[in-house]
Amino acid sequence: MPSSWSSTFRRRAFLGALAGLFIVAGILATRALVAREEGDPTVDANEPPATVAPSLTAELLPTFTPGATPTAPATAAAPETAAATASAAATETPTSPPTDTPTETPTPTPAPTDTSTPTPQPLPTPDGVPRRMRVPILMYHYLSAPPPGADAVRRGLSVSPEQFEQHLRYLREAGYETISLHDLALALQIGHPLPEHPIVLTFDDGYRDNYERAFPLLRAYGYTATFFLITGFIDDGNEAYVTWDQVVEMHEAGMEIEAHGHTHPDLRGRDVDYLVWQVLGAKEAIEARTGEPVRFFCYPSGKYDDLVIRVLHSAHYWGAVTVSPGVEHASDGMFELSRVRVPGDLTAAGLAATLNAYMRAP
């Protein structure tokens, strides 16, 4: 064998052996690494790993840390292109148009209900104290000029509107204040206070001119009055008397509406049934229109007897007026209240003299 071949052979053998050593060392190092990661007991943990030359395969393997969640290798972001932008715009999810949300209509807050307890009105339940007092109760009938050819009675019961206004003017200047029969009953029975100069104005029968003439003048002067009605005549639609609508209007304006019987008869000597029809029937007819209890009665033509008074008591009346002249009243005489008749020819000066005479009498 030529010497040149021998040297070539020896060189190739050396390189092959060297390559084999590298291969064996790589295999051993790989096994040691795998054993360390998998906990192979055959591998000595204290033995230092064999040093291996870096290779292309090792560089591409992801690094695994025990107990940690593997993290995917970062991918380089692709450069944004017009096509990508167009695709994103094309696939964008369209936004639904906003839905109109109905606005809740606010519920109005109800006004607070008045829960206050109304002040109880006093009743004339006798307190046992006897009382007497002077209070004029004026008695009017017609408030119009008597028709031609009228008899003495008609002329005597007729006061013109002009005269009546003069009476009201005098009463105002003299300091009189009108009160109701309710007020008088309270004063007599329980000592309810009255104005310094009280006076009661009454109209008998319920003539139409009471509404047409007296009512407006009373309102103009700020006064009130008591009207005693004959209910049967109103029910019949007699044009000489007020209507129920007019009665309601006067009542709502503060006038006192009381009873004068159903047909204005003489009540003396009648039986109980007849009296009940007259006094209770009239009472209920008025109450049905005004909604307020009727408490006072005016004896037709001033005529009555003890049975009439007893029936009035049983029908829950508080008192009654007569035609007896006078201004003094007693707590035990509520069903015999006296009055001052106003004749047709009485002037304002005459009224002043009449009242002064009554009030100053011993």
Side-chain angles (χ1 to χ4, degrees), residues 259-272 274-280 297-309 311-312:
H260 196 24
H262 186 62
T263 58
H264 200 269
D266 183 346
L267 297 178
R268 295 175 299 180
R270 304 287 188 167
D271 60 30
V272 172
Y274 183 84
L275 294 177
V276 169
W277 176 55
Q278 286 290 337
V279 305
L280 185 58
F297 190 78
C298 176
Y299 300 114
S301 302
K303 298 174 181 178
Y304 64 97
D305 55 23
D306 290 341
L307 183 58
V308 176
I309 294 177
V311 172
L312 289 173

PDB file of all heavy atoms in Angstrom, residues 259-272 274-280 297-309 311-312:
ATOM      1  N   ALA A 259    -139.635  76.397  58.772  1.00  0.00           N
ATOM      2  CA  ALA A 259    -140.970  75.935  58.352  1.00  0.00           C
ATOM      3  C   ALA A 259    -142.098  76.811  58.900  1.00  0.00           C
ATOM      4  O   ALA A 259    -142.032  77.315  60.019  1.00  0.00           O
ATOM      5  CB  ALA A 259    -141.177  74.489  58.797  1.00  0.00           C
ATOM      6  N   HIS A 260    -143.165  76.935  58.068  1.00  0.00           N
ATOM      7  CA  HIS A 260    -144.366  77.696  58.435  1.00  0.00           C
ATOM      8  C   HIS A 260    -145.626  76.864  58.186  1.00  0.00           C
ATOM      9  O   HIS A 260    -146.715  77.398  58.004  1.00  0.00           O
ATOM     10  CB  HIS A 260    -144.406  78.984  57.611  1.00  0.00           C
ATOM     11  CG  HIS A 260    -145.346  80.029  58.125  1.00  0.00           C
ATOM     12  ND1 HIS A 260    -145.766  80.114  59.444  1.00  0.00           N
ATOM     13  CD2 HIS A 260    -145.971  81.076  57.479  1.00  0.00           C
ATOM     14  CE1 HIS A 260    -146.586  81.136  59.594  1.00  0.00           C
ATOM     15  NE2 HIS A 260    -146.742  81.738  58.409  1.00  0.00           N
ATOM     16  N   GLY A 261    -145.411  75.524  58.158  1.00  0.00           N
ATOM     17  CA  GLY A 261    -146.525  74.622  57.892  1.00  0.00           C
ATOM     18  C   GLY A 261    -146.601  74.234  56.433  1.00  0.00           C
ATOM     19  O   GLY A 261    -145.943  74.834  55.563  1.00  0.00           O
ATOM     20  N   HIS A 262    -147.445  73.231  56.170  1.00  0.00           N
ATOM     21  CA  HIS A 262    -147.576  72.761  54.793  1.00  0.00           C
ATOM     22  C   HIS A 262    -148.615  73.568  54.009  1.00  0.00           C
ATOM     23  O   HIS A 262    -148.409  73.857  52.828  1.00  0.00           O
ATOM     24  CB  HIS A 262    -147.958  71.273  54.790  1.00  0.00           C
ATOM     25  CG  HIS A 262    -147.976  70.656  53.433  1.00  0.00           C
ATOM     26  ND1 HIS A 262    -146.846  70.580  52.639  1.00  0.00           N
ATOM     27  CD2 HIS A 262    -148.987  70.096  52.716  1.00  0.00           C
ATOM     28  CE1 HIS A 262    -147.165  69.992  51.497  1.00  0.00           C
ATOM     29  NE2 HIS A 262    -148.460  69.693  51.514  1.00  0.00           N
ATOM     30  N   THR A 263    -149.710  73.933  54.681  1.00  0.00           N
ATOM     31  CA  THR A 263    -150.756  74.706  53.985  1.00  0.00           C
ATOM     32  C   THR A 263    -151.240  75.929  54.764  1.00  0.00           C
ATOM     33  O   THR A 263    -152.239  76.540  54.394  1.00  0.00           O
ATOM     34  CB  THR A 263    -151.967  73.794  53.692  1.00  0.00           C
ATOM     35  OG1 THR A 263    -152.469  73.252  54.917  1.00  0.00           O
ATOM     36  CG2 THR A 263    -151.588  72.643  52.754  1.00  0.00           C
ATOM     37  N   HIS A 264    -150.560  76.275  55.870  1.00  0.00           N
ATOM     38  CA  HIS A 264    -150.870  77.470  56.656  1.00  0.00           C
ATOM     39  C   HIS A 264    -152.273  77.427  57.294  1.00  0.00           C
ATOM     40  O   HIS A 264    -153.037  78.406  57.240  1.00  0.00           O
ATOM     41  CB  HIS A 264    -150.733  78.722  55.785  1.00  0.00           C
ATOM     42  CG  HIS A 264    -150.561  79.986  56.582  1.00  0.00           C
ATOM     43  ND1 HIS A 264    -151.630  80.768  56.983  1.00  0.00           N
ATOM     44  CD2 HIS A 264    -149.447  80.623  57.026  1.00  0.00           C
ATOM     45  CE1 HIS A 264    -151.191  81.833  57.646  1.00  0.00           C
ATOM     46  NE2 HIS A 264    -149.859  81.763  57.685  1.00  0.00           N
ATOM     47  N   PRO A 265    -152.632  76.337  57.977  1.00  0.00           N
ATOM     48  CA  PRO A 265    -153.957  76.300  58.623  1.00  0.00           C
ATOM     49  C   PRO A 265    -153.864  76.730  60.080  1.00  0.00           C
ATOM     50  O   PRO A 265    -152.778  76.889  60.639  1.00  0.00           O
ATOM     51  CB  PRO A 265    -154.315  74.826  58.535  1.00  0.00           C
ATOM     52  CG  PRO A 265    -152.987  74.141  58.721  1.00  0.00           C
ATOM     53  CD  PRO A 265    -151.957  75.022  58.063  1.00  0.00           C
ATOM     54  N   ASP A 266    -154.991  76.898  60.697  1.00  0.00           N
ATOM     55  CA  ASP A 266    -155.058  77.073  62.148  1.00  0.00           C
ATOM     56  C   ASP A 266    -154.805  75.696  62.761  1.00  0.00           C
ATOM     57  O   ASP A 266    -155.539  74.735  62.504  1.00  0.00           O
ATOM     58  CB  ASP A 266    -156.448  77.590  62.537  1.00  0.00           C
ATOM     59  CG  ASP A 266    -156.568  77.878  64.037  1.00  0.00           C
ATOM     60  OD1 ASP A 266    -155.673  77.436  64.810  1.00  0.00           O
ATOM     61  OD2 ASP A 266    -157.559  78.530  64.425  1.00  0.00           O
ATOM     62  N   LEU A 267    -153.775  75.587  63.574  1.00  0.00           N
ATOM     63  CA  LEU A 267    -153.375  74.284  64.110  1.00  0.00           C
ATOM     64  C   LEU A 267    -154.069  73.939  65.437  1.00  0.00           C
ATOM     65  O   LEU A 267    -153.886  72.826  65.944  1.00  0.00           O
ATOM     66  CB  LEU A 267    -151.851  74.243  64.303  1.00  0.00           C
ATOM     67  CG  LEU A 267    -151.000  74.390  63.029  1.00  0.00           C
ATOM     68  CD1 LEU A 267    -149.520  74.380  63.387  1.00  0.00           C
ATOM     69  CD2 LEU A 267    -151.323  73.295  62.017  1.00  0.00           C
ATOM     70  N   ARG A 268    -154.812  74.820  65.940  1.00  0.00           N
ATOM     71  CA  ARG A 268    -155.454  74.537  67.239  1.00  0.00           C
ATOM     72  C   ARG A 268    -156.541  73.468  67.082  1.00  0.00           C
ATOM     73  O   ARG A 268    -157.296  73.457  66.115  1.00  0.00           O
ATOM     74  CB  ARG A 268    -156.065  75.808  67.801  1.00  0.00           C
ATOM     75  CG  ARG A 268    -155.050  76.886  68.152  1.00  0.00           C
ATOM     76  CD  ARG A 268    -155.745  78.171  68.589  1.00  0.00           C
ATOM     77  NE  ARG A 268    -156.584  78.703  67.494  1.00  0.00           N
ATOM     78  CZ  ARG A 268    -157.303  79.828  67.610  1.00  0.00           C
ATOM     79  NH1 ARG A 268    -157.282  80.521  68.764  1.00  0.00           N
ATOM     80  NH2 ARG A 268    -158.023  80.240  66.594  1.00  0.00           N
ATOM     81  N   GLY A 269    -156.635  72.590  68.089  1.00  0.00           N
ATOM     82  CA  GLY A 269    -157.683  71.567  68.122  1.00  0.00           C
ATOM     83  C   GLY A 269    -157.522  70.462  67.096  1.00  0.00           C
ATOM     84  O   GLY A 269    -158.461  69.696  66.855  1.00  0.00           O
ATOM     85  N   ARG A 270    -156.373  70.314  66.488  1.00  0.00           N
ATOM     86  CA  ARG A 270    -156.153  69.266  65.496  1.00  0.00           C
ATOM     87  C   ARG A 270    -155.647  67.995  66.170  1.00  0.00           C
ATOM     88  O   ARG A 270    -155.064  68.030  67.255  1.00  0.00           O
ATOM     89  CB  ARG A 270    -155.126  69.730  64.453  1.00  0.00           C
ATOM     90  CG  ARG A 270    -155.480  71.038  63.752  1.00  0.00           C
ATOM     91  CD  ARG A 270    -156.609  70.853  62.761  1.00  0.00           C
ATOM     92  NE  ARG A 270    -156.816  72.068  61.957  1.00  0.00           N
ATOM     93  CZ  ARG A 270    -157.565  72.100  60.870  1.00  0.00           C
ATOM     94  NH1 ARG A 270    -158.171  71.020  60.433  1.00  0.00           N
ATOM     95  NH2 ARG A 270    -157.721  73.256  60.216  1.00  0.00           N
ATOM     96  N   ASP A 271    -155.829  66.844  65.483  1.00  0.00           N
ATOM     97  CA  ASP A 271    -155.294  65.603  66.033  1.00  0.00           C
ATOM     98  C   ASP A 271    -153.813  65.478  65.676  1.00  0.00           C
ATOM     99  O   ASP A 271    -153.265  66.244  64.865  1.00  0.00           O
ATOM    100  CB  ASP A 271    -156.092  64.387  65.544  1.00  0.00           C
ATOM    101  CG  ASP A 271    -156.089  64.223  64.034  1.00  0.00           C
ATOM    102  OD1 ASP A 271    -155.083  64.621  63.386  1.00  0.00           O
ATOM    103  OD2 ASP A 271    -157.072  63.697  63.485  1.00  0.00           O
ATOM    104  N   VAL A 272    -153.200  64.479  66.281  1.00  0.00           N
ATOM    105  CA  VAL A 272    -151.751  64.328  66.129  1.00  0.00           C
ATOM    106  C   VAL A 272    -151.368  64.068  64.673  1.00  0.00           C
ATOM    107  O   VAL A 272    -150.384  64.633  64.174  1.00  0.00           O
ATOM    108  CB  VAL A 272    -151.227  63.200  67.045  1.00  0.00           C
ATOM    109  CG1 VAL A 272    -149.755  62.902  66.746  1.00  0.00           C
ATOM    110  CG2 VAL A 272    -151.392  63.584  68.507  1.00  0.00           C
ATOM    111  N   TYR A 274    -152.749  64.958  61.904  1.00  0.00           N
ATOM    112  CA  TYR A 274    -152.824  66.167  61.099  1.00  0.00           C
ATOM    113  C   TYR A 274    -151.647  67.091  61.420  1.00  0.00           C
ATOM    114  O   TYR A 274    -151.040  67.681  60.515  1.00  0.00           O
ATOM    115  CB  TYR A 274    -154.139  66.893  61.359  1.00  0.00           C
ATOM    116  CG  TYR A 274    -154.333  68.123  60.500  1.00  0.00           C
ATOM    117  CD1 TYR A 274    -154.845  68.018  59.206  1.00  0.00           C
ATOM    118  CD2 TYR A 274    -154.005  69.393  60.972  1.00  0.00           C
ATOM    119  CE1 TYR A 274    -155.015  69.138  58.411  1.00  0.00           C
ATOM    120  CE2 TYR A 274    -154.159  70.515  60.185  1.00  0.00           C
ATOM    121  CZ  TYR A 274    -154.665  70.393  58.910  1.00  0.00           C
ATOM    122  OH  TYR A 274    -154.839  71.511  58.117  1.00  0.00           O
ATOM    123  N   LEU A 275    -151.329  67.213  62.705  1.00  0.00           N
ATOM    124  CA  LEU A 275    -150.222  68.084  63.091  1.00  0.00           C
ATOM    125  C   LEU A 275    -148.891  67.563  62.548  1.00  0.00           C
ATOM    126  O   LEU A 275    -148.041  68.347  62.097  1.00  0.00           O
ATOM    127  CB  LEU A 275    -150.172  68.214  64.614  1.00  0.00           C
ATOM    128  CG  LEU A 275    -151.367  68.936  65.261  1.00  0.00           C
ATOM    129  CD1 LEU A 275    -151.218  68.938  66.782  1.00  0.00           C
ATOM    130  CD2 LEU A 275    -151.496  70.357  64.738  1.00  0.00           C
ATOM    131  N   VAL A 276    -148.724  66.241  62.603  1.00  0.00           N
ATOM    132  CA  VAL A 276    -147.482  65.664  62.057  1.00  0.00           C
ATOM    133  C   VAL A 276    -147.370  65.971  60.573  1.00  0.00           C
ATOM    134  O   VAL A 276    -146.296  66.312  60.067  1.00  0.00           O
ATOM    135  CB  VAL A 276    -147.441  64.140  62.322  1.00  0.00           C
ATOM    136  CG1 VAL A 276    -146.298  63.494  61.521  1.00  0.00           C
ATOM    137  CG2 VAL A 276    -147.273  63.856  63.808  1.00  0.00           C
ATOM    138  N   TRP A 277    -148.457  65.847  59.845  1.00  0.00           N
ATOM    139  CA  TRP A 277    -148.444  66.152  58.409  1.00  0.00           C
ATOM    140  C   TRP A 277    -148.039  67.601  58.158  1.00  0.00           C
ATOM    141  O   TRP A 277    -147.268  67.890  57.241  1.00  0.00           O
ATOM    142  CB  TRP A 277    -149.841  65.872  57.828  1.00  0.00           C
ATOM    143  CG  TRP A 277    -149.980  66.234  56.392  1.00  0.00           C
ATOM    144  CD1 TRP A 277    -149.210  65.818  55.345  1.00  0.00           C
ATOM    145  CD2 TRP A 277    -150.954  67.138  55.839  1.00  0.00           C
ATOM    146  NE1 TRP A 277    -149.653  66.388  54.170  1.00  0.00           N
ATOM    147  CE2 TRP A 277    -150.722  67.187  54.440  1.00  0.00           C
ATOM    148  CE3 TRP A 277    -152.011  67.871  56.392  1.00  0.00           C
ATOM    149  CZ2 TRP A 277    -151.507  67.969  53.585  1.00  0.00           C
ATOM    150  CZ3 TRP A 277    -152.795  68.631  55.522  1.00  0.00           C
ATOM    151  CH2 TRP A 277    -152.540  68.690  54.148  1.00  0.00           C
ATOM    152  N   GLN A 278    -148.543  68.515  58.990  1.00  0.00           N
ATOM    153  CA  GLN A 278    -148.255  69.928  58.796  1.00  0.00           C
ATOM    154  C   GLN A 278    -146.828  70.308  59.218  1.00  0.00           C
ATOM    155  O   GLN A 278    -146.107  70.957  58.454  1.00  0.00           O
ATOM    156  CB  GLN A 278    -149.266  70.778  59.580  1.00  0.00           C
ATOM    157  CG  GLN A 278    -150.646  70.829  58.972  1.00  0.00           C
ATOM    158  CD  GLN A 278    -150.689  71.629  57.680  1.00  0.00           C
ATOM    159  OE1 GLN A 278    -149.845  72.475  57.424  1.00  0.00           O
ATOM    160  NE2 GLN A 278    -151.697  71.348  56.863  1.00  0.00           N
ATOM    161  N   VAL A 279    -146.412  69.887  60.393  1.00  0.00           N
ATOM    162  CA  VAL A 279    -145.121  70.371  60.909  1.00  0.00           C
ATOM    163  C   VAL A 279    -143.951  69.490  60.465  1.00  0.00           C
ATOM    164  O   VAL A 279    -142.866  69.998  60.141  1.00  0.00           O
ATOM    165  CB  VAL A 279    -145.153  70.514  62.443  1.00  0.00           C
ATOM    166  CG1 VAL A 279    -146.304  71.417  62.865  1.00  0.00           C
ATOM    167  CG2 VAL A 279    -145.247  69.170  63.145  1.00  0.00           C
ATOM    168  N   LEU A 280    -144.169  68.175  60.448  1.00  0.00           N
ATOM    169  CA  LEU A 280    -143.081  67.296  60.017  1.00  0.00           C
ATOM    170  C   LEU A 280    -142.977  67.260  58.494  1.00  0.00           C
ATOM    171  O   LEU A 280    -141.860  67.212  57.937  1.00  0.00           O
ATOM    172  CB  LEU A 280    -143.296  65.887  60.560  1.00  0.00           C
ATOM    173  CG  LEU A 280    -142.169  64.880  60.282  1.00  0.00           C
ATOM    174  CD1 LEU A 280    -140.847  65.382  60.865  1.00  0.00           C
ATOM    175  CD2 LEU A 280    -142.523  63.506  60.840  1.00  0.00           C
ATOM    176  N   PHE A 297    -139.993  76.723  63.909  1.00  0.00           N
ATOM    177  CA  PHE A 297    -141.323  76.738  63.304  1.00  0.00           C
ATOM    178  C   PHE A 297    -141.984  78.075  63.584  1.00  0.00           C
ATOM    179  O   PHE A 297    -141.728  78.700  64.629  1.00  0.00           O
ATOM    180  CB  PHE A 297    -142.177  75.613  63.895  1.00  0.00           C
ATOM    181  CG  PHE A 297    -143.469  75.368  63.196  1.00  0.00           C
ATOM    182  CD1 PHE A 297    -143.520  74.676  61.997  1.00  0.00           C
ATOM    183  CD2 PHE A 297    -144.678  75.827  63.742  1.00  0.00           C
ATOM    184  CE1 PHE A 297    -144.726  74.451  61.349  1.00  0.00           C
ATOM    185  CE2 PHE A 297    -145.882  75.603  63.109  1.00  0.00           C
ATOM    186  CZ  PHE A 297    -145.910  74.911  61.903  1.00  0.00           C
ATOM    187  N   CYS A 298    -142.807  78.512  62.629  1.00  0.00           N
ATOM    188  CA  CYS A 298    -143.598  79.732  62.799  1.00  0.00           C
ATOM    189  C   CYS A 298    -145.070  79.330  62.772  1.00  0.00           C
ATOM    190  O   CYS A 298    -145.545  78.775  61.775  1.00  0.00           O
ATOM    191  CB  CYS A 298    -143.292  80.713  61.679  1.00  0.00           C
ATOM    192  SG  CYS A 298    -144.302  82.217  61.723  1.00  0.00           S
ATOM    193  N   TYR A 299    -145.768  79.580  63.872  1.00  0.00           N
ATOM    194  CA  TYR A 299    -147.176  79.183  63.949  1.00  0.00           C
ATOM    195  C   TYR A 299    -147.997  79.965  62.906  1.00  0.00           C
ATOM    196  O   TYR A 299    -147.958  81.197  62.883  1.00  0.00           O
ATOM    197  CB  TYR A 299    -147.733  79.466  65.341  1.00  0.00           C
ATOM    198  CG  TYR A 299    -147.006  78.730  66.461  1.00  0.00           C
ATOM    199  CD1 TYR A 299    -146.264  79.432  67.419  1.00  0.00           C
ATOM    200  CD2 TYR A 299    -147.079  77.346  66.568  1.00  0.00           C
ATOM    201  CE1 TYR A 299    -145.596  78.778  68.435  1.00  0.00           C
ATOM    202  CE2 TYR A 299    -146.413  76.681  67.592  1.00  0.00           C
ATOM    203  CZ  TYR A 299    -145.665  77.396  68.523  1.00  0.00           C
ATOM    204  OH  TYR A 299    -145.008  76.731  69.547  1.00  0.00           O
ATOM    205  N   PRO A 300    -148.746  79.262  62.053  1.00  0.00           N
ATOM    206  CA  PRO A 300    -149.589  79.975  61.076  1.00  0.00           C
ATOM    207  C   PRO A 300    -150.583  80.908  61.773  1.00  0.00           C
ATOM    208  O   PRO A 300    -151.322  80.482  62.667  1.00  0.00           O
ATOM    209  CB  PRO A 300    -150.304  78.834  60.340  1.00  0.00           C
ATOM    210  CG  PRO A 300    -149.403  77.652  60.499  1.00  0.00           C
ATOM    211  CD  PRO A 300    -148.801  77.805  61.858  1.00  0.00           C
ATOM    212  N   SER A 301    -150.536  82.166  61.394  1.00  0.00           N
ATOM    213  CA  SER A 301    -151.388  83.209  62.003  1.00  0.00           C
ATOM    214  C   SER A 301    -151.154  83.320  63.506  1.00  0.00           C
ATOM    215  O   SER A 301    -151.973  83.906  64.218  1.00  0.00           O
ATOM    216  CB  SER A 301    -152.873  82.933  61.719  1.00  0.00           C
ATOM    217  OG  SER A 301    -153.100  82.868  60.326  1.00  0.00           O
ATOM    218  N   GLY A 302    -150.063  82.752  63.989  1.00  0.00           N
ATOM    219  CA  GLY A 302    -149.723  82.834  65.414  1.00  0.00           C
ATOM    220  C   GLY A 302    -150.596  81.979  66.310  1.00  0.00           C
ATOM    221  O   GLY A 302    -150.578  82.169  67.533  1.00  0.00           O
ATOM    222  N   LYS A 303    -151.306  80.989  65.751  1.00  0.00           N
ATOM    223  CA  LYS A 303    -152.264  80.197  66.539  1.00  0.00           C
ATOM    224  C   LYS A 303    -151.711  78.795  66.819  1.00  0.00           C
ATOM    225  O   LYS A 303    -151.268  78.085  65.898  1.00  0.00           O
ATOM    226  CB  LYS A 303    -153.587  80.101  65.791  1.00  0.00           C
ATOM    227  CG  LYS A 303    -154.229  81.473  65.581  1.00  0.00           C
ATOM    228  CD  LYS A 303    -155.471  81.382  64.723  1.00  0.00           C
ATOM    229  CE  LYS A 303    -156.085  82.774  64.510  1.00  0.00           C
ATOM    230  NZ  LYS A 303    -157.278  82.740  63.642  1.00  0.00           N
ATOM    231  N   TYR A 304    -151.745  78.384  68.072  1.00  0.00           N
ATOM    232  CA  TYR A 304    -151.198  77.087  68.489  1.00  0.00           C
ATOM    233  C   TYR A 304    -151.803  76.704  69.831  1.00  0.00           C
ATOM    234  O   TYR A 304    -152.453  77.520  70.513  1.00  0.00           O
ATOM    235  CB  TYR A 304    -149.673  77.150  68.583  1.00  0.00           C
ATOM    236  CG  TYR A 304    -149.161  78.111  69.637  1.00  0.00           C
ATOM    237  CD1 TYR A 304    -148.788  77.662  70.904  1.00  0.00           C
ATOM    238  CD2 TYR A 304    -149.075  79.477  69.377  1.00  0.00           C
ATOM    239  CE1 TYR A 304    -148.335  78.550  71.862  1.00  0.00           C
ATOM    240  CE2 TYR A 304    -148.620  80.368  70.322  1.00  0.00           C
ATOM    241  CZ  TYR A 304    -148.247  79.899  71.569  1.00  0.00           C
ATOM    242  OH  TYR A 304    -147.810  80.788  72.530  1.00  0.00           O
ATOM    243  N   ASP A 305    -151.569  75.471  70.241  1.00  0.00           N
ATOM    244  CA  ASP A 305    -151.964  75.018  71.571  1.00  0.00           C
ATOM    245  C   ASP A 305    -150.870  74.079  72.094  1.00  0.00           C
ATOM    246  O   ASP A 305    -149.828  73.871  71.435  1.00  0.00           O
ATOM    247  CB  ASP A 305    -153.346  74.342  71.547  1.00  0.00           C
ATOM    248  CG  ASP A 305    -153.451  73.201  70.564  1.00  0.00           C
ATOM    249  OD1 ASP A 305    -152.388  72.618  70.200  1.00  0.00           O
ATOM    250  OD2 ASP A 305    -154.572  72.861  70.142  1.00  0.00           O
ATOM    251  N   ASP A 306    -151.111  73.504  73.266  1.00  0.00           N
ATOM    252  CA  ASP A 306    -150.088  72.663  73.896  1.00  0.00           C
ATOM    253  C   ASP A 306    -149.745  71.434  73.056  1.00  0.00           C
ATOM    254  O   ASP A 306    -148.580  70.994  73.023  1.00  0.00           O
ATOM    255  CB  ASP A 306    -150.548  72.225  75.286  1.00  0.00           C
ATOM    256  CG  ASP A 306    -150.570  73.374  76.284  1.00  0.00           C
ATOM    257  OD1 ASP A 306    -149.896  74.399  76.012  1.00  0.00           O
ATOM    258  OD2 ASP A 306    -151.241  73.250  77.327  1.00  0.00           O
ATOM    259  N   LEU A 307    -150.736  70.856  72.370  1.00  0.00           N
ATOM    260  CA  LEU A 307    -150.462  69.672  71.557  1.00  0.00           C
ATOM    261  C   LEU A 307    -149.532  70.015  70.397  1.00  0.00           C
ATOM    262  O   LEU A 307    -148.652  69.214  70.028  1.00  0.00           O
ATOM    263  CB  LEU A 307    -151.772  69.075  71.030  1.00  0.00           C
ATOM    264  CG  LEU A 307    -151.630  67.784  70.205  1.00  0.00           C
ATOM    265  CD1 LEU A 307    -150.925  66.701  71.021  1.00  0.00           C
ATOM    266  CD2 LEU A 307    -152.995  67.308  69.719  1.00  0.00           C
ATOM    267  N   VAL A 308    -149.717  71.181  69.831  1.00  0.00           N
ATOM    268  CA  VAL A 308    -148.818  71.600  68.743  1.00  0.00           C
ATOM    269  C   VAL A 308    -147.377  71.657  69.256  1.00  0.00           C
ATOM    270  O   VAL A 308    -146.452  71.177  68.581  1.00  0.00           O
ATOM    271  CB  VAL A 308    -149.248  72.967  68.187  1.00  0.00           C
ATOM    272  CG1 VAL A 308    -148.247  73.433  67.117  1.00  0.00           C
ATOM    273  CG2 VAL A 308    -150.655  72.907  67.609  1.00  0.00           C
ATOM    274  N   ILE A 309    -147.174  72.212  70.433  1.00  0.00           N
ATOM    275  CA  ILE A 309    -145.822  72.310  70.993  1.00  0.00           C
ATOM    276  C   ILE A 309    -145.246  70.925  71.238  1.00  0.00           C
ATOM    277  O   ILE A 309    -144.060  70.659  70.960  1.00  0.00           O
ATOM    278  CB  ILE A 309    -145.843  73.144  72.289  1.00  0.00           C
ATOM    279  CG1 ILE A 309    -146.212  74.597  71.972  1.00  0.00           C
ATOM    280  CG2 ILE A 309    -144.484  73.078  72.988  1.00  0.00           C
ATOM    281  CD1 ILE A 309    -146.319  75.486  73.201  1.00  0.00           C
ATOM    282  N   VAL A 311    -145.966  68.140  69.659  1.00  0.00           N
ATOM    283  CA  VAL A 311    -145.616  67.541  68.365  1.00  0.00           C
ATOM    284  C   VAL A 311    -144.323  68.152  67.814  1.00  0.00           C
ATOM    285  O   VAL A 311    -143.470  67.452  67.256  1.00  0.00           O
ATOM    286  CB  VAL A 311    -146.777  67.714  67.369  1.00  0.00           C
ATOM    287  CG1 VAL A 311    -146.339  67.278  65.967  1.00  0.00           C
ATOM    288  CG2 VAL A 311    -147.987  66.893  67.816  1.00  0.00           C
ATOM    289  N   LEU A 312    -144.155  69.445  67.979  1.00  0.00           N
ATOM    290  CA  LEU A 312    -142.915  70.083  67.544  1.00  0.00           C
ATOM    291  C   LEU A 312    -141.712  69.506  68.290  1.00  0.00           C
ATOM    292  O   LEU A 312    -140.655  69.252  67.693  1.00  0.00           O
ATOM    293  CB  LEU A 312    -142.995  71.598  67.762  1.00  0.00           C
ATOM    294  CG  LEU A 312    -143.941  72.373  66.838  1.00  0.00           C
ATOM    295  CD1 LEU A 312    -144.041  73.824  67.282  1.00  0.00           C
ATOM    296  CD2 LEU A 312    -143.483  72.295  65.392  1.00  0.00           C
TER     297      LEU A 312
END
